[in-house]
Amino acid sequence: MEKRAFRHFLKVSDLEASDIREIFDMTEHVRKNPEHFENRLSRKTVCLLFEKSSTRTRLSFEAGVHQMGGDTVFLGGDSQLARGETIEDTARVMSGYLDMVIIRTFGHDRIERFASRATIPVINGLTDGHHPCQALSDFSFIGKELGAVQGIRMAYVGDGNNMAHSLMEAAALLGVHLVVATPPGYAPDKEILRWSSEKAKKTGGSVTWMDDPMEAARGASVLYTDVWTSMGQEAESSIREQAFSGFQINREMLSLAASDAIVLHCLPAYRGKEVTEEVFEGPRSKVFAQAENRLHLQKALMLFCNRKG
Ligand code: CP
Ligand code: NVA
């Protein structure tokens, strides 16, 4: 079956800064004029192949596809993948039926293997290694909230895994000064840190790691956190709660940030763990507007992936 030129989106560093700017501009068009995009996915079928739970990613993609005139199919844990059909064979079969696939899975290698055999666009809806749709959406949201992204100071406080990795890659491409603070045993991937800090030197930003969360927060305009125990790590939750106990966004940490700092969280959140109830529900927290932005950004992202060669 002949397919049009397309792009996969597996991690933020698949993009150039100019691609991100194009997606952000399109996001604003989609947000302001959704009626102009009502037929852009007509007669397209988009599958969500999800091997982990989701509320925001599933719903924002499904709603976005429907708002642009397309159809969605949700495939959870009961496909033949669960019985051992290979991810490569699954990609070849799905490419014959569908126009795009959003995948949420465990190891990042699984989505890379799928994409290597797919002849339709593949978008990463979260792997253990990356959460690129969330990070792109968050920087488009920050741009709207703060009026700019380049040159801002941001602190990510928490686990150095998928969320941190995607924020690091995006910060590097966009010229953000990002400090990632994690306990020593939970630092981000060394290669992603190296790539991000090198790239940031060329864009006027910086991406650094430290194990002091209060120092990271000092003067930041954005404080960002994620859960201490990600999906698939539930057996480690009590040991993680001990390791991360000093990494909570609370009143003291917020007092060290810029006086007009905003607090972000990809959600779902565990109040009293990575963020206090007081900060989560307080005036600096923008987490629900942040979540809503996923819809607009992902509509723009699907249009980008669908047509680019
Ligand atoms: N932030 C995010 O991806 O949320 P879900 O796990 O609910 O999709
Ligand atoms: N780091 C979290 C993000 C959830 C959106 C997880 O992988 O479970």
Side-chain angles (χ1 to χ4, degrees):
M1 182 177 299
E2 194 187 334
K3 297 285 177 188
R4 287 192 309 143
F6 64 89
R7 290 274 292 258
H8 295 316
F9 179 56
L10 307 189
K11 55 191 198 313
V12 175
S13 55
D14 291 345
L15 302 177
E16 304 289 338
S18 58
D19 296 325
I20 300 182
R21 279 192 285 275
E22 185 182 330
I23 294 165
F24 285 3
D25 287 348
M26 179 67 86
T27 300
E28 294 317 305
H29 287 306
V30 169
R31 188 198 313 279
K32 289 182 188 126
N33 307 297
E35 68 282 5
H36 292 178
F37 298 87
E38 277 171 359
N39 298 315
R40 291 292 295 274
L41 293 183
S42 76
R43 295 186 301 282
K44 304 273 184 214
T45 306
V46 177
C47 178
L48 289 94
L49 175 60
F50 276 34
E51 298 183 311
K52 289 176 173 171
S53 304
S54 174
T55 298
R56 280 144 288 270
T57 306
R58 176 180 177 177
L59 291 176
S60 53
F61 269 111
E62 290 214 44
V65 171
H66 296 156
Q67 288 169 16
M68 294 195 290
D71 289 316
T72 54
V73 179
F74 184 81
L75 204 51
D78 59 351
S79 76
Q80 297 287 10
L81 273 172
R83 297 177 60 247
E85 185 168 19
T86 69
I87 196 105
E88 290 86 354
D89 287 355
T90 306
R92 292 162 76 185
V93 170
M94 288 176 75
S95 295
Y97 301 145
L98 302 162
D99 298 290
M100 187 178 295
V101 188
I102 319 299
I103 296 183
R104 172 166 287 200
T105 189
F106 291 88
H108 190 74
D109 64 302
R110 277 178 77 68
I111 198 168
E112 286 177 337
R113 285 167 51 206
F114 186 102
S116 74
R117 298 313 300 263
T119 56
I120 54 174
V122 178
I123 293 180
N124 181 354
L126 182 145
T127 60
D128 291 345
H130 297 266
H131 197 3
C133 295
Q134 180 77 52
L136 272 197
S137 176
D138 294 338
F139 280 110
S140 96
F141 178 73
I142 289 167
K144 244 172 76 69
E145 281 292 308
L146 303 186
V149 168
Q150 178 140 34
I152 64 154
R153 308 195 76 80
M154 175 167 169
Y156 172 91
V157 177
D159 193 9
N161 71 352
N162 49 10
M163 202 60 255
H165 292 157
S166 291
L167 291 170
M168 289 160 70
E169 292 187 349
L173 286 163
L174 293 169
V176 170
H177 295 289
L178 173 66
V179 182
V180 174
T182 77
Y186 298 89
D189 178 83
K190 282 194 175 58
E191 177 52 27
I192 294 175
L193 180 59
R194 188 202 62 74
W195 183 91
S196 301
S197 59
E198 285 304 309
K199 181 59 111 177
K201 284 181 193 153
K202 298 181 189 130
T203 61
S206 56
V207 177
T208 55
W209 172 80
M210 62 172 66
D211 61 6
D212 182 341
M214 295 298 173
E215 193 52 37
R218 201 177 293 282
S221 296
V222 180
L223 291 184
Y224 196 118
T225 191
D226 181 12
V227 292
W228 292 341
T229 301
S230 285
M231 290 181 276
Q233 300 172 329
E234 290 75 9
E236 301 170 20
S237 82
S238 59
I239 194 161
R240 284 173 165 271
E241 276 182 30
Q242 287 170 31
F244 285 94
S245 61
F247 288 72
Q248 181 187 64
I249 299 188
N250 51 28
R251 187 194 301 192
E252 184 194 355
M253 188 182 287
L254 192 53
S255 74
L256 297 172
S259 58
D260 55 355
I262 60 172
V263 174
L264 301 182
H265 189 312
C266 56
L267 303 181
Y270 295 92
R271 294 166 166 81
K273 300 281 199 278
E274 70 272 8
V275 58
T276 58
E277 171 82 18
E278 178 187 38
V279 170
F280 188 83
E281 291 294 352
R284 300 271 150 233
S285 168
K286 305 290 176 196
V287 297
F288 293 107
Q290 175 194 1
E292 189 205 304
N293 196 61
R294 297 280 306 274
L295 172 67
H296 312 294
L297 182 289
Q298 288 162 193
K299 285 167 80 174
L301 177 66
M302 285 188 282
L303 297 175
F304 177 86
C305 289
N306 198 36
R307 71 181 165 77
K308 284 286 172 170

